[in-house]
Amino acid sequence: MAEDQLQKVFDDKVAQEIKIEPKDWMPDAYRKTLMRQISQHAHSEIVGMLPEANWITRAPSLRRKATLLAKVQDEAGHGLYLYAAAETLGISREEMVDQLLSGKAKYSSIFNYPTLTWADIGAIGWLVDGAAIMNQVPLCRSSYGPYARAMIRVCKEESFHQRQGFEILLTLCRGSEKQKEMAQDALKRWWWPSLMMFGPNGNDSPHTAQSMKWKIKRFTNDELRQKFVDICKEQADILGLTIPDAKLKWNEERSHYDFGEINWDEFWNVVKGKGPCNKERLAARVSAHENGEWVREAAMAHAEKRSPKSSRGGL
Amino acid sequence: MNTDEPLWEVFIRSNQGLDHKHMGSLHAADAQMAIENARDVYTRRMEGVSIWVVESKNIHSSNPDEASSLYDPANDKIYRHPTFYNLPDELKHM
C-alpha cells in the first residue's frame, strides 16, 4: 500500500477508537512520540523507587514497612510493564537503559526532590501518586494498544499507593502537635512540585496538540491540573492541613478553585538537571546497573550452560 | 560477554478451568528465570495459578496487511450463525 493510503487507514482507526497494535503501520512521528513518552514513563517508575526506598528501613512500624516495600515493588513492576510496551515499538531495553543512565532521557522531575521526613512518604503517596493517577487514568484509553493495556494494570495497582499515603498523613494529623507539624511541612514542600507534574501550561507544552490528535493524550496539562487541585483541596480539609497557596480560592463562576502561579523557573531548572537530587538519583541508578553486571553475566552463562532446552518444556 | 537477556512472552491462567491468557513480556536469561520473574511481575495480587513463558522469537504471527484476505471472507457467511435460520416461535428448546 502507498504511504498516503496507509496514513488514511491509520487515521481512520484512531478516529474510530480502534487501537493501534505493534505490527500495524503507524507514522514515524507517532512511533517516536510513543517511544519517548513510554520510556520516560518507565524511567520515572524506576527512579521513583529511590526517594521512597530511603525510608523503608526507617518506617515506623512493621505494617508501614510491609506496605512501603509492596509499593516500591509495584513501581519496579510498573517500570517493567512500560519498558515492555515501549519495546513493541522497536526500541531495545538496553537502548532505553543507556538513555536513562547517560542522562539523555528524562524522567519525572518530582523524583529529584528529597524525602526529608517520614511525612514525605505520606505526601508522596497522596500527592505524587494522586497526580500520577490523574495523568494515567486517561492513558488507559490511549490509542496505542500495548501502552493502554499496561496503564490499565498500573492504575489498578496504584490506588492502594495513594490510599496508603493518605493514611500515613491522616495518622500524623491525628497525632501529636509535632506530628501534625511534620505533615504540614511535607505538604508545604510537595504541593508545588506535585502541580508541576502535569507539565507546562497549554501554550508552552510542545507535544500536547499533536498527542491529542493522535489520542495518545486525552486532556491538556491544565485540565488535569485543575481537576487535581479541586480534589486535593477537599482532601486537605479532611486532613486539617493548609495548602501553601494564598491564592487558592473557590471560584463560583468557574465551579473550580483558582490557584496561584507555578514557579516555572524552578520547574525548568529541575528539568534541566539542577534540582536538589538529580545527580544523586542518576548516580544511584548507574551504580545499581554497574553492580548488577556480574549477576546478568552469571545468569546468561548459566543459561548457556544449561541449553539446549531444559527438560521442563511442554504445557 | 553479551548480557542482553532474551525476551519472553508471559501467559497466565488466572484460575483453574480458564485458559492461559497473554499478560505481557519480560526479559530473562532462561525459561526458569522467566517463570520466576513472571511470578514477581505479573502475579503480585493472586492473578494466577499457572504460568507459561514462550521465548518471543518462537511466536509467529499473521501479518496485519493480510487481514482483509484472511478475515473478510467470513463476513458474508452469516448462515454459520444460528440466528440465520427462520423457525416458528412455537419451536422450543432449540
Side-chain angles (χ1 to χ4, degrees):
Chain A
M1 248 192 276
E3 175 125 350
D4 56 338
Q5 270 175 294
L6 290 166
Q7 177 76 47
K8 196 186 170 309
V9 172
F10 171 85
D11 291 341
D12 287 348
K13 274 190 200 153
V14 172
Q16 292 169 48
E17 302 283 339
I18 297 171
K19 298 277 182 236
I20 307 300
E21 294 294 344
K23 293 187 82 182
D24 295 345
W25 185 90
M26 61 189 89
D28 279 344
Y30 177 82
R31 186 186 296 278
K32 285 214 181 86
T33 298
L34 280 169
M35 272 185 195
R36 182 184 47 79
Q37 181 173 336
I38 302 174
S39 63
Q40 284 182 9
H41 197 160
H43 299 327
S44 302
E45 297 282 355
I46 299 300
V47 177
M49 291 192 280
L50 297 171
E52 291 179 295
N54 182 33
W55 281 93
I56 290 175
T57 55
R58 292 176 288 160
S61 70
L62 196 55
R63 180 175 183 269
R64 296 290 183 212
K65 190 191 287 250
T67 51
L68 187 55
L69 264 173
K71 177 177 191 291
V72 172
Q73 193 189 10
D74 272 353
E75 274 144 21
H78 297 173
L80 294 179
Y81 301 158
L82 288 160
Y83 279 131
E87 280 173 80
T88 64
L89 293 158
I91 184 171
S92 74
R93 178 75 58 94
E94 290 72 27
E95 233 177 313
M96 289 187 274
V97 171
D98 281 350
Q99 288 174 352
L100 172 65
L101 299 184
S102 68
K104 195 183 151 212
K106 298 265 180 275
Y107 55 84
S108 180
S109 282
I110 192 81
F111 302 119
N112 289 319
Y113 290 85
T115 42
L116 304 178
T117 71
W118 170 250
D120 288 18
I121 299 304
I124 287 182
W126 174 36
L127 298 173
V128 175
D129 287 281
I133 291 169
M134 194 68 75
N135 267 324
Q136 287 167 352
V137 167
L139 292 174
C140 296
R141 293 189 294 127
S142 158
S143 58
Y144 188 57
Y147 193 27
R149 291 192 285 275
M151 290 322 303
I152 290 170
R153 271 202 298 273
V154 169
C155 286
K156 251 193 223 161
E157 298 182 353
E158 285 228 341
S159 93
F160 117 67
H161 297 185
Q162 197 189 12
R163 292 170 66 100
Q164 68 91 35
F166 196 83
E167 194 195 65
I168 288 172
L169 289 180
L170 196 61
T171 307
L172 290 173
C173 289
R174 289 177 179 172
S176 67
E177 204 45 46
K178 228 175 155 190
Q179 285 173 316
K180 188 162 182 189
E181 269 168 36
M182 197 198 270
Q184 180 63 58
D185 172 64
L187 173 57
K188 199 173 137 209
R189 283 180 291 108
W190 288 93
W191 175 252
W192 289 104
S194 299
L195 292 197
M196 293 177 199
M197 282 178 72
F198 295 94
N201 287 134
N203 304 335
D204 300 326
S205 175
H207 307 292
T208 295
Q210 181 60 70
S211 285
M212 287 185 67
K213 236 184 260 168
W214 278 329
K215 297 191 182 169
I216 295 173
K217 262 179 103 155
R218 300 280 176 164
F219 299 99
T220 66
N221 297 348
D222 294 320
E223 284 170 328
L224 292 170
R225 185 165 19 237
Q226 178 69 62
K227 225 167 134 185
F228 180 72
V229 170
D230 291 347
I231 289 177
C232 284
K233 170 66 177 94
E234 273 150 37
Q235 295 176 344
D237 290 344
I238 294 174
L239 292 171
L241 295 179
T242 311
I243 290 177
D245 179 356
K247 292 189 177 153
L248 187 76
K249 208 180 142 219
W250 180 250
N251 182 328
E252 193 67 54
E253 209 172 298
R254 293 199 310 125
S255 285
H256 285 297
Y257 282 93
D258 290 337
F259 56 98
E261 181 68 11
I262 287 169
N263 181 348
W264 292 111
D265 290 341
E266 178 185 330
F267 172 80
W268 289 114
N269 231 9
V270 184
V271 170
K272 285 175 188 147
K274 291 180 216 145
C277 299
N278 293 57
K279 283 203 184 110
E280 185 186 331
R281 299 295 183 234
L282 212 53
R285 286 315 308 156
V286 169
S287 136
H289 191 71
E290 284 172 357
N291 290 323
E293 180 72 16
W294 71 271
V295 180
R296 293 190 296 278
E297 263 182 36
M300 286 306 282
H302 175 76
E304 226 155 87
K305 212 166 139 191
R306 294 232 313 191
S307 70
K309 287 292 153 227
S310 66
S311 54
R312 297 182 60 180
L315 309 182
Chain B
M1 177 179 176
N2 179 18
T3 55
D4 299 352
E5 297 174 341
L7 189 67
W8 301 78
E9 299 301 321
V10 178
F11 299 82
I12 294 193
R13 186 201 295 285
S14 58
N15 244 317
Q16 290 297 111
L18 296 177
D19 293 322
H20 285 74
K21 191 171 163 244
H22 185 236
M23 291 299 282
S25 50
L26 48 77
H27 289 272
D30 65 19
Q32 193 188 333
M33 285 184 256
I35 289 175
E36 285 159 7
N37 290 354
R39 174 231 178 234
D40 286 342
V41 179
Y42 292 106
T43 66
R44 287 194 303 280
R45 288 175 175 77
M46 301 178 291
E47 291 96 335
V49 295
S50 162
I51 298 172
W52 289 350
V53 292
V54 182
E55 217 180 317
S56 308
K57 68 174 186 198
N58 293 324
I59 292 194
H60 304 269
S61 61
S62 61
N63 184 343
D65 291 345
E66 292 164 4
S68 55
S69 64
L70 287 174
Y71 314 116
D72 287 357
N75 281 348
D76 58 2
K77 297 180 181 59
I78 49 171
Y79 45 82
R80 284 178 174 153
H81 298 278
T83 46
F84 175 75
Y85 298 92
N86 296 317
L87 297 176
D89 290 344
E90 308 88 86
L91 185 73
K92 303 281 184 215
H93 308 298
M94 185 178 283

